[in-house]
Structures are given as structure tokens and as C-alpha cells.
Amino acid sequence: MKLKVKTFVLQSLLTKAVKGASMNKMIPLTNLMSIKVTDGKLMITTTDATNYLYVAVDYEGDEDFEVVVMADIFVKLISKLTSEYVELSVTDDILTVVGNGEYKIELPLNEEGSRISYPNPIADFKPKYSFRIKRDDVQKILMTAKASLSTKTDALCYTGYYIGDEIVTTDTEVMCGISRKLGFTNPVLIFPSTVDLLDLMTDAEIDCSVDDNNGILFKTGNCTVCGKVMDCVDDFQIDVISELLEQDFDSSCVFSKLELLQVLDRVSLFVGAYDKNCVYLTFTENGLLVQSKQTNSSETLKYMSVSNFKSFTCCIDVEMLKTQIKAYTDDKVEMQYGRDNAIKLVDGDTVQIVCLQEDIR
């Protein structure tokens, strides 16, 4: 059982495949990868225990090949090869790699002392319904909505992407809503690790299927992600969050994204250890005045335009604000203000909310 492939082809394939392997020492399977040749395809499979990632390339060899190997050592070895071709062969429990030299890698064994058979969840996947999503929608989600995901474990539902009549993420202090419906029959919560893997797909459209067991499958020509949706979608307070995203604000203004970030970066240097990352924003007739709490740093940024101007001052977490502005896709930022609970950033079909902080000055 042998495989011969151009080194740069295998290296490119492994660069993608390894992103699906979480290499969690507590979960042995996440440290392994399956290398398989069948039906004219060379396919590598990895998992993070939630998702299975399949990446493939056309292969012209006549002989089938299948082996499960420790991902870390194999990826590191192949990445360092400079030979034009690499050959893999399996004898007993040893994988022999021939490139610049000859290297032998012991294969992992199961409790019975036999070579491991890698799971293949696609084989048991029975779609309930299918549809297509655009890669552009995935990119929009990753560029904007990802910045509002919660990283806390006390409310797991907010660590995922809510996808229903709109796409929503929140950590309860910042939130993002994208007015796009992707095609799911019922609202779902998708793990962030699943959406991250979709970034590996380069086709303009992605086939998506859902089964009756919370399974979800994303597929393009040479890349497939098979996982499960989160089971806590009912805990996601979508009605309350949507109300916040849809609330109207009295006034709005437009800034250069670059200049606004530069101002916030400079003033944030003077935010003290006891300031809880907070700065003051004051909307004046001359522009936006940004001040540190100790008033030892201040800068005014002129508006590019303003609508229904009203003087207003608020206290805000500067790091949260910078994160949301960095996720803003346009080079001009529309900021709406006037309420005592939040400010609102609007970018076409995307809304970002940043909650205000208590003024303790």
C-alpha cells in the first residue's frame, strides 16, 4: 500500500487539514488524521471532536491507500521536505515517508493493539433538507459578527452564531445583527469552530444540509465540514436582542474608520488601571471629543457628516468599541447616539451595538 504525490500538493492539503485538528490531549482522536486515497481522490480528515474536516485533491494513482497517523509529527515532517515528491508506504504498524530522506513513523494503535479506524460521520448523515449559501455571507459573518461572540462559559448559547431570520451574535455587552436569511427552516445556533472552518472553502457557493439529529453538513468541491448545531438555541434571547438592535437613535454622525481608530488608540494609552477600560465620548458641534477618565488625555475628531446633531456625553469601554469598529467593513463609520444605554454602528445590512458603561466620574 503506497502513495506518491508532489510534495507541495501534500503540503498545501495539510495546511488546510491541520486547522480541523484541535490536538486536545484529553481527546486522543483530535490528535490524529486520516490519509486516504479512493475513487481518484486523496483525502485528509481531521476533527476537533465537534466538527470533522475533509479536504481533498484529485489523485491519479491506481492503488488505494489508507492510514491514520499522529497529526503533529506528520505535518511538521512534511512541511520541512524540499523534495519534488513524497512517497508514503505502510508496513505492519510503521508509516515510511520517503522525501529528502527516509523517515519512519509509528502508527497509533487502539486498545486491542490494532491500527485505528478513523470515524466517518458523513457515511451516516441523512439530510432532512438542503440549500445553498454564498461564500460572501460566510465572509461577512466572520468579518463582523465574530467580534461579538461571547467567550464566557456561563451562558453557552452566546458563544455561538444565531442564524434565523437574521444572523445575530452577542456577549450581552456588544451585539451584531446581519439582516440576511441563509435558508435554515428553523433557527439554529452554530459553533464558532464550525464557521471558522468554512473560511477554508473557496467556492462561490456552499451546499448545506441539515439532518434530524442536530447534524449539519457544509460541502464544496474539495472541502467538507460535518458537525452538529448547538442544542441551546432556545436559551438565546433573540426577542430581547432584536429589540435592542432595532431601537432608534436621535442623532447620527459619520467618521473615517482609520482616523477614529487612531484617536481611540492614542487616548486609550492614558486609560488607568482603575478606569475599567472606559473613556468619555462627547458629541460636540465641532466633532467627537474623546477623553480619558482622568482628563489627562483628550482629542477631538471632526465629523465627515452629521444628522440631527444634539450634544451628548457617554462613558464607554474603549476596547469593546475598538473591537467593533475594527470589524466594521466600510472605511466610513456611521455612529448613532442619543440613548443612555448604547451607541449603534450601522453598515448597510449590519448593525453593531456597544452598551454604555456607568459614569462614575
Side-chain angles (χ1 to χ4, degrees):
M1 188 169 63
K2 295 183 179 181
L3 179 156
K4 182 177 181 180
V5 61
K6 285 192 173 182
T7 301
F8 82 89
V9 171
L10 185 57
Q11 288 171 338
S12 177
L13 207 58
L14 287 172
T15 298
K16 292 182 178 181
V18 74
K19 293 180 180 179
S22 59
M23 299 193 190
N24 185 334
K25 293 182 179 179
M26 302 299 292
I27 309 176
L29 186 61
T30 65
N31 295 276
L32 307 178
M33 61 170 46
S34 165
I35 305 167
K36 186 175 183 179
V37 172
T38 185
D39 298 327
K41 292 279 188 180
L42 166 59
M43 178 176 291
I44 299 180
T45 309
T46 52
T47 186
D48 59 11
T50 298
N51 310 285
Y52 284 80
L53 172 66
Y54 302 75
V55 293
V57 67
D58 291 338
Y59 183 76
E60 296 180 354
D62 297 327
E63 186 177 359
D64 285 352
F65 182 90
E66 185 171 5
V67 69
V68 177
V69 66
M70 297 295 295
D72 186 52
I73 181 65
F74 185 73
V75 171
K76 287 179 178 177
L77 172 61
I78 300 301
S79 71
K80 297 179 183 298
L81 296 181
T82 58
S83 55
E84 183 179 2
Y85 285 91
V86 57
E87 295 184 21
L88 308 181
S89 61
V90 177
T91 304
D92 296 328
D93 299 330
I94 299 294
L95 172 67
T96 300
V97 180
V98 177
N100 298 80
E102 182 176 286
Y103 321 91
K104 296 185 180 296
I105 300 175
E106 290 188 14
L107 298 177
L109 305 177
N110 60 24
E111 294 177 354
E112 288 75 34
S114 301
R115 295 217 304 266
I116 291 173
S117 178
Y118 205 88
N120 182 24
I122 291 181
D124 300 320
F125 191 91
K126 297 179 180 179
K128 181 180 179 181
Y129 66 93
S130 302
F131 56 95
R132 284 189 171 184
I133 60 177
K134 296 179 180 178
R135 185 175 187 273
D136 287 348
D137 289 335
V138 174
Q139 294 303 302
K140 181 72 170 180
I141 291 170
L142 289 169
M143 286 188 293
T144 57
K146 184 176 182 177
S148 297
L149 287 171
S150 175
T151 57
K152 301 175 182 177
T153 57
D154 55 344
L156 286 175
C157 64
Y158 298 126
T159 65
Y161 295 89
Y162 178 94
I163 303 180
D165 291 333
E166 57 185 334
I167 302 161
V168 179
T169 54
T170 184
D171 68 359
T172 69
E173 289 193 277
V174 297
M175 55 197 68
C176 177
I178 305 174
S179 297
R180 300 185 187 185
K181 189 168 183 176
L182 298 189
F184 291 93
T185 299
N186 299 305
V188 295
L189 269 181
I190 300 183
F191 285 100
S193 57
T194 304
V195 180
D196 284 346
L197 291 177
L198 301 186
D199 194 33
L200 297 173
M201 298 181 172
T202 57
D203 292 10
E205 291 188 327
I206 300 169
D207 292 320
C208 180
S209 300
V210 179
D211 69 10
D212 284 321
N213 299 311
N214 287 334
I216 190 166
L217 185 73
F218 298 92
K219 186 175 183 179
T220 58
N222 284 325
C223 186
T224 300
V225 175
C226 184
K228 289 187 174 293
V229 299
M230 300 173 71
D231 60 6
C232 50
V233 65
D234 292 337
D235 297 333
F236 199 98
Q237 300 296 307
I238 187 59
D239 292 338
V240 175
I241 296 166
S242 292
E243 185 176 336
L244 290 170
L245 289 167
E246 293 168 5
Q247 64 184 341
D248 294 323
F249 287 72
D250 293 336
S251 307
S252 68
C253 49
V254 176
F255 304 101
S256 159
K257 175 182 175 179
L258 177 60
E259 291 179 359
L260 178 56
L261 283 173
Q262 289 174 336
V263 170
L264 294 173
D265 277 339
R266 287 191 288 265
V267 175
S268 65
L269 294 174
F270 297 87
V271 174
Y274 300 102
D275 294 338
K276 298 181 178 179
N277 284 332
C278 288
V279 297
Y280 290 101
L281 305 181
T282 301
F283 297 84
T284 74
E285 292 184 351
N286 296 323
L288 177 65
L289 174 63
V290 184
Q291 294 174 291
S292 61
K293 275 194 170 186
Q294 305 303 319
T295 66
N296 56 357
S297 175
S298 65
E299 190 169 345
T300 299
L301 176 63
K302 291 184 178 181
Y303 308 119
M304 297 182 72
S305 63
V306 62
S307 177
N308 192 30
F309 169 78
K310 291 183 180 180
S311 181
F312 182 77
T313 298
C314 60
C315 181
I316 198 165
D317 185 311
V318 67
E319 296 303 325
M320 286 197 304
L321 179 59
K322 286 197 296 183
T323 297
Q324 294 305 305
I325 292 172
K326 288 176 182 178
Y328 198 97
T329 58
D330 199 351
D331 58 2
K332 296 178 182 179
V333 176
E334 179 185 341
M335 183 182 294
Q336 298 182 4
Y337 68 92
R339 288 181 172 268
D340 61 5
N341 63 339
I343 63 167
K344 183 177 184 178
L345 307 177
V346 181
D347 182 11
D349 62 0
T350 304
V351 170
Q352 295 160 276
I353 295 287
V354 183
C355 292
L356 300 181
Q357 306 296 311
E358 181 182 0
D359 187 351
I360 58 174
R361 181 164 54 179

